Every structure is written in structure tokens, then in C-alpha cells.
Amino acid sequence: MHDIGLIGLAVMGQNLVLNMANHGFSVAVHNRTSSVTDEFVGGLKSEPADKVHPGTADRIKAYDDLKEFVGSLKSPRRIMIMVKAGAPVDAVIDQLKPLLSKGDIIIDGGNSYFPDTNRRSKALRDAGLAFIGTGVSGGEEGALKGPSIMPGGHKEAWPHVKDILQSISAKVGPKNDIPCCDWVGEDGAGHYVKMVHNGIEYGDMQLICEAYFILKHTLGLTNDELYSVFKQWNEGELASYLIEITRDIFSVKDPATGGELVDSILDTAQQKGTGKWMSQHALDLGVPTTLITEAVYARCLSAQKDARVRASKVLSGPDGKFSGNKQAFIDDVRQALYASKLVSYAQGYVQMDAAAKEFGWKLNNGSIALLWRGGCIIRSVFLEDIKQAFDKNPQLENLLLDDFFKTAINKAQPSWRRVVSTAVTLGIPVPGFAAALSYYDGYRLARLPANLLQAQRDYFGAHTYERLDKPRGETFHTDWIRERKLT
């Protein structure tokens, strides 16, 4: 009998199967298209040893018939679904339900939208089945060698899958033995945390691209020089997977032209939806997740390539040149990038707290930071600082209020402001840097211009307003036309 079954043998599914089997678990596999299953299992013997360990192929068995697949599993049956999010997940669940027994466990490991996970969690509980919706981050390599795993759903199912999921996850710590996988929360909490992870990823990537664009177009750095800059940055507080791979990108030549490959790539970016989902839900919650939303919009603007080319022939902007100290400005960009990244994570955690309150989840913010320390795209050195911040104060309402982050922001502020002002003066778009700085300035001010906004709303729509000198919640209305001063 097999320890677990997996349905959906695209690349992520295949690599998760290999990861499980490499760790000694027996795995049943099934795919809607049997030829995909046959090709995968048939090719196991020829794979290199670092991908398929000795004995791994013998622990994987394919089943074309779904009933036989289900019947081959130990009780309680554990079945992981790795198919496209949305209707395909529901279709597989509907096929499985008549074949399963009370207490059997379905694990959705795809990028499902959290409301779907909330819905499936309730429906499967009502049907007597257990359900886990889990975020899996790390791409193809992570799936094979150890991803970050964020499980949520029915907590009673967690002990039955904990050993497998923690065994295949990335490991961190002094002894490389702390799994980047732990229980997140009820219902859709796991997929929500994965959505926030992906939103922060959007923000991180946009900020890094803005840093690159500033250095390239204000200082004229070559790709070799950019390689050196990012190599140095990866040895300090910015050390992270994304900085590391950005460094490496600048070293790759284009075999077709002999030039730099990055310079031959079309400047239009795509998105799979998770960043957009996070921004949409931020609006639903009334939470200002501004940087990540700007990162989504930046991808949308990049996609309007033809329109931008036409506009570039008509619209003009500054044509000034940078005239300051080159090395000092490179360091300014480093500090602006660091400060903006801190804001990105701060906004992500504020949104997770708001969602937890909305849905009754009990999220452990420090533990979530540990899940992201290895295997995933946003892994970075300062996630440990986030863990320590929430260890000191589990009720911390915003990371920017923690002493470590407050000190880091204060140190970076002069550089941050110089970079944004220089970019604006020279006509270099920096929506991420500017959004992060504007959020920080708005958050640190006790009084904002919304008093005038409320007066406007009351003037044209009698929406009422509150007063500084009266208790919160008490509302007032003014007949502004009657009370206005005559001119």
C-alpha cells in the first residue's frame, strides 16, 4: 500500500513525487492523460542520480484507473492534487468523493484562490472528508529539492500529513534541520499566506527592477558593473534568492547575438493572478497594500508595449544627466531598495492580520516568517529579523514599529529620499520606491488631509464627518452652502 497519492503530473507534480519518493515514501500517481503518466514513470530509470535517488523509481507506481489508484493507498488515504487552479480542482474532487471513506484526506497543493479553499473546506467537512489547502513555493527546483510549504484547512488532518510534508520541505537553521513547513491555520489560511508570499514576491521583483533601471539609466552601468554591484549587495542585508539570481542574470551571454541576454528580452511582464488577488482583497479589507498593488500595475503598464512605443515618439520628459558622486549614489540605491523591501513585508503582514481577523484565523506571524526562510522565492536573511520582531511582541501591529525595522528605516531615509527625488527629476519611473516611501510618510503622520476629503464628501453628498473635539463614532453634518462665507 502507498503512503500517498498524487494527481496531476505537470512539472511541479512530477518533482513533488520525486521529492517524496527520494525521502522514502511510496507514491501512487495518476494523470488525466495516461501517456503523461507512462512517459514520467518510464523515464525514471534514465534520470540522473541527483534527481532520482537509488530505489526511488521502485517507490513510484502509476495507475490509469482512478478507483485502483484510490484503492492502493493506506488509510486514511492521503491524496495530493496538483492541477490548474479553479474548475479543474473541483472536477478532481468530485471524481474522488464517491471513492473515498470518512476521514480520508485531500490536499490541494496548487495556487488556488483562498475563497475557493474556504468553500472546499466547508463542503468536504460536510461530506465527512478531511481537506488541506497548502501553498507550495519554490518553483520546479524547490518542488524537487525542498519547497516552502504553507498548509491550512482541517487541523485534525495535519498530524496525518505532517511527516510527509515536513520531510520534503526545505530545511534551514544551524543544523539544516528546521523544516520550512508548519501548520498555518484553518480553511483557506494556507493559500492566503501563499497569496501574500506571491504578492511580496511581486513587490520584491519590481523594486529590484527599479534599482537596476536607475543604475543603468542614470549612471550608465554596464552589465558587468551591475553584476559586481548585485554581488556585493548579496553579501549584506539584501542577501536573498532574488538578489542572487539577478546577479547571475547579468553574467549570461546571448548565443544568438553574442551580446548580453537580458538586453535582448522584450520588456513586457506577465502575471498569473496571485498578486492581483492580493491587491483586490486588500481593497476589500480596506488595507493600504500600496507597494504590491503598484507592482501589479507596473506589469500591466509593461504589457502595453505597442502603446508605449507610440507614446515615446510623442511625449517628452527631462533629459538631464546625473552629476553627483557615482559610488555614493549606488549606495543610496542599495539603502532605498532595503527600506522599500521592509515596507513591502510590513504591508504584507498588516494584510494577513486583517484577513485573520476577518476569517477568524489564528496566524502565527513569526512562524510564517520561518516558513519563508528556505525553498521559496522571497527567502532572504532578514526574515529572521521578522521572526524576532514577532517573538518580542506577538501583537505587533506593524513591522515598522519594531526597533530593528525602525532603526533600519531611519538609517536609510536620507538615501531613500535622494533616490526617489533624483529618479523623478531625471524622468525615471520608480512606482515601487515612491509607493513605499509615500506609505511610510503617510503612516508616520498623525494628521492627513482626509479632513478636507470628508468635508468635500459632506458638502456634495451629506456623508457626514467626525470631529477632533468629539468622541469617535459621533457624526455631524453641515449645510455648507448656507454656512459658506460670501465672496
Side-chain angles (χ1 to χ4, degrees):
M1 302 290 282
H2 299 294
D3 298 307
I4 190 170
L6 188 141
I7 298 175
L9 293 174
V11 176
M12 283 289 290
Q14 290 184 16
N15 282 353
L16 283 172
V17 168
L18 293 177
N19 192 344
M20 293 172 185
N22 283 340
H23 281 86
F25 297 103
S26 176
V27 188
V29 298
H30 174 81
N31 195 75
R32 184 184 63 174
T33 306
S34 59
S35 60
V36 173
T37 313
D38 295 339
E39 182 179 352
F40 168 62
V41 175
L44 292 175
K45 299 290 187 180
S46 61
E47 293 285 359
D50 62 337
K51 185 174 182 178
V52 179
H53 298 177
T56 286
D58 298 330
R59 289 189 284 270
I60 300 171
K61 185 173 180 181
Y63 294 85
D64 288 336
D65 182 79
L66 194 60
K67 186 175 181 180
E68 289 184 14
F69 166 84
V70 170
S72 73
L73 301 174
K74 296 177 182 177
S75 183
R77 299 180 181 97
R78 297 169 286 192
I79 300 173
M80 190 167 192
I81 302 172
M82 293 298 297
V83 300
K84 187 177 180 181
V89 177
D90 289 320
V92 172
I93 291 174
D94 288 343
Q95 290 176 321
L96 286 172
K97 281 168 67 175
L99 305 175
L100 298 178
S101 304
K102 185 177 180 180
D104 287 346
I105 303 162
I106 295 175
I107 308 165
D108 176 14
N111 259 341
S112 288
Y113 192 26
F114 78 92
D116 290 338
T117 307
N118 284 342
R119 169 178 55 80
R120 292 168 186 143
S121 180
K122 181 181 184 307
L124 288 171
R125 186 181 293 281
D126 292 344
L129 299 174
F131 180 66
I132 289 180
T134 183
V136 180
S137 178
E140 298 174 17
E141 182 179 6
L144 176 65
K145 299 181 179 179
S148 169
I149 305 177
M150 297 150 261
H154 299 170
K155 193 169 185 178
E156 64 272 19
W158 172 234
H160 297 288
V161 302
K162 180 179 179 179
D163 182 41
I164 294 177
L165 295 184
Q166 289 193 336
S167 293
I168 68 170
S169 73
K171 307 296 189 301
V172 295
K175 297 181 180 179
N176 204 37
D177 59 352
I178 302 173
C180 294
C181 171
D182 205 353
W183 183 251
V184 172
E186 297 291 328
D187 298 329
H191 276 135
Y192 197 94
V193 170
K194 173 58 162 52
M195 179 185 74
V196 172
H197 164 283
N198 283 22
I200 292 173
E201 176 187 314
Y202 271 57
D204 270 8
M205 293 174 74
Q206 176 63 27
L207 293 170
I208 291 170
C209 288
E210 290 178 20
Y212 149 72
F213 208 63
I214 292 168
L215 295 176
K216 183 178 181 67
H217 291 283
T218 62
L219 304 183
L221 296 192
T222 66
N223 287 338
D224 286 343
E225 290 172 323
L226 286 165
Y227 176 92
S228 298
V229 167
F230 277 82
K231 180 178 184 295
Q232 184 179 21
W233 287 358
N234 198 48
E235 295 166 356
E237 72 273 17
L238 285 173
S240 63
Y241 173 73
L242 284 171
I243 294 291
E244 178 185 334
I245 67 169
T246 303
R247 174 202 67 193
D248 294 345
I249 285 169
F250 293 122
S251 69
V252 177
K253 298 292 184 182
D254 181 2
T257 66
E260 314 288 344
L261 180 56
V262 68
D263 295 329
S264 296
I265 298 175
L266 186 67
D267 56 315
T268 60
Q270 298 177 342
Q271 55 175 318
K272 291 187 175 179
T274 45
K276 179 182 71 175
W277 291 345
M278 184 176 176
S279 295
Q280 288 173 329
H281 198 241
L283 291 171
D284 291 339
L285 293 171
V287 174
T289 313
T290 54
L291 192 158
I292 291 161
T293 301
E294 283 294 343
V296 174
Y297 283 139
R299 292 196 186 192
C300 295
L301 184 58
S302 79
Q304 297 181 355
K305 174 67 174 178
D306 293 341
R308 289 188 290 112
V309 170
R310 290 191 295 270
S312 70
K313 299 173 183 177
V314 179
L315 304 178
S316 62
D319 57 3
K321 302 297 181 184
F322 181 80
S323 58
N325 183 293
K326 184 175 178 179
Q327 192 56 49
F329 190 68
I330 291 174
D331 191 64
D332 280 347
V333 174
R334 174 186 64 81
Q335 294 196 61
L337 175 56
Y338 184 51
S340 297
K341 281 169 64 73
L342 297 183
V343 169
S344 181
Y345 282 79
Q347 289 185 352
Y349 270 94
V350 168
Q351 182 165 335
M352 282 195 291
D353 284 345
K357 184 177 181 180
E358 176 81 7
F359 298 111
W361 299 332
K362 293 177 180 157
L363 303 182
N364 185 324
N365 286 335
S367 176
I368 289 170
L370 293 185
L371 302 185
W372 294 342
R373 288 194 303 170
C376 68
I377 306 302
I378 65 171
R379 58 187 184 265
S380 60
V381 293
F382 68 74
L383 284 163
E384 182 61 42
D385 299 313
I386 293 177
K387 170 68 163 59
Q388 291 177 9
F390 285 114
D391 282 349
K392 286 187 293 182
N393 181 7
Q395 306 306 316
L396 184 65
E397 64 177 328
N398 192 307
L399 279 169
L400 299 179
L401 302 177
D402 175 73
D403 287 342
F404 172 84
F405 290 90
K406 183 171 61 177
T407 299
I409 290 282
N410 283 338
K411 179 182 177 183
Q413 258 195 84
S415 294
W416 198 8
R417 297 184 187 280
R418 280 194 295 269
V419 168
V420 172
S421 61
T422 299
V424 171
T425 300
L426 298 180
I428 303 294
V430 285
F433 283 168
L437 183 56
S438 293
Y439 173 85
Y440 175 77
D441 281 337
Y443 186 62
R444 70 179 179 82
L445 292 179
R447 189 160 173 81
L448 292 172
N451 56 313
L452 176 58
L453 188 150
Q454 286 298 86
Q456 291 169 333
R457 294 180 72 243
D458 191 53
Y459 190 118
F460 65 68
H463 292 294
T464 73
Y465 55 86
E466 296 176 272
R467 293 180 57 92
L468 289 170
D469 54 358
K470 299 294 182 179
R472 293 292 300 272
E474 188 175 350
T475 59
F476 301 86
H477 168 63
T478 293
D479 186 336
W480 294 87
I481 296 176
R482 177 177 297 176
E483 297 295 332
R484 66 179 179 163
K485 295 179 181 178
L486 297 176
T487 58

